[in-house]
Amino acid sequence: MTFTPFPEIVTPRLVLREPRMEDWTVISYLRSDKEVNRFVNRSCAGTREKAIEFIQKCLDDINRDKLINWFICLKEDRRMIGTICLWNISKDRKTAEIGYDLHTTFHGFGLMNEAMKAVLKYGFDEMNLQLIEAFTHELNTRSLNLLNRNNFKWNKDRVDTENDDNVIYELKTSDFIR
């Protein structure tokens, strides 16, 4: 599976497009805002330099087919509002992890659910994944509700060795509702 040319995805309200350097201000916000990062342990990209470095790393990893990271934009004005990715792809290319974040202004409108459905379809139908995983904080009710809405199941037998507060949810291709 190659991510060149970049697989842009269009949904009724969104465009999931390739990362661009001019999106650095939104990346800076998403990676430094306390509410967005309340349940996430990650390095901050609060400065212009760090945000651009993050975008460049995304582009490099996409070009090496290590991950696919879409920048979520509103269809009507192409304003970037979040990200969603399939990363941590297994060597046999059968499993990937989904990750996502969204500007707080756009919480509660079902936009991430719309983006997730499209990315899951891409992962299962285009990448031929057999399993998509999601690691989320056990108290992150928004994320847990999103995963449950998309038929992910909590795997009680798995533990995130890097974060004891995380739970691991899984979605098999056979359980994906198209």
Side-chain angles (χ1 to χ4, degrees):
M1 177 90 232
T2 179
F3 304 124
T4 306
F6 188 87
E8 185 170 280
I9 299 173
V10 179
T11 70
R13 297 181 292 170
L14 303 171
V15 174
L16 310 181
R17 63 160 171 80
E18 187 171 19
R20 296 183 189 149
M21 290 299 173
E22 60 263 23
D23 297 315
W24 76 265
T25 55
V26 180
I27 290 299
S28 179
Y29 167 80
L30 290 172
R31 298 190 68 84
S32 63
D33 180 76
K34 286 184 178 165
E35 181 60 26
V36 173
N37 293 284
R38 190 165 140 207
F39 298 108
V40 182
N41 294 330
R42 65 176 166 198
S43 62
C44 178
T47 66
R48 181 180 194 274
E49 181 181 88
K50 291 282 189 189
I52 287 174
E53 187 179 300
F54 172 80
I55 294 168
Q56 187 60 58
K57 182 173 178 358
C58 287
L59 291 169
D60 291 345
D61 286 347
I62 291 166
N63 288 332
R64 288 193 297 259
D65 301 321
K66 287 180 69 177
L67 61 76
I68 182 73
N69 193 341
W70 291 271
F71 281 16
I72 303 168
C73 301
L74 296 174
K75 195 175 189 179
E76 66 220 24
D77 66 7
R78 302 279 252 187
R79 180 172 33 144
M80 183 197 170
I81 61 170
T83 68
I84 189 165
C85 66
L86 292 170
W87 70 291
N88 208 9
I89 301 168
S90 64
K91 288 184 183 191
D92 64 6
R93 313 288 281 178
K94 294 182 182 197
T95 302
E97 183 178 340
I98 193 166
Y100 42 87
D101 53 14
L102 187 66
H103 194 293
T104 55
T105 303
F106 300 96
H107 287 185
F109 298 102
L111 296 170
M112 188 55 76
N113 188 52
E114 188 172 319
M116 182 177 280
K117 286 183 184 316
V119 167
L120 292 174
K121 183 174 181 0
Y122 180 87
F124 289 126
D125 294 351
E126 302 301 322
M127 293 175 66
N128 297 312
L129 294 171
Q130 294 178 7
L131 179 77
I132 297 177
E133 309 173 309
F135 290 59
T136 194
H137 193 284
E138 63 189 352
L139 300 178
N140 188 344
T141 55
R142 285 184 182 273
S143 183
L144 294 169
N145 289 339
L146 177 66
L147 295 171
N148 285 320
R149 222 174 306 151
N150 283 282
N151 222 25
F152 279 79
K153 304 292 182 233
W154 177 28
N155 185 336
K156 298 172 188 169
D157 297 326
R158 288 190 61 203
V159 175
D160 183 352
T161 57
E162 294 180 22
N163 186 341
D164 291 340
D165 294 325
N166 276 350
V167 289
I168 303 170
Y169 276 67
E170 300 173 340
L171 180 63
K172 296 176 184 172
T173 189
S174 58
D175 294 329
F176 176 58
I177 301 169
R178 288 173 173 76

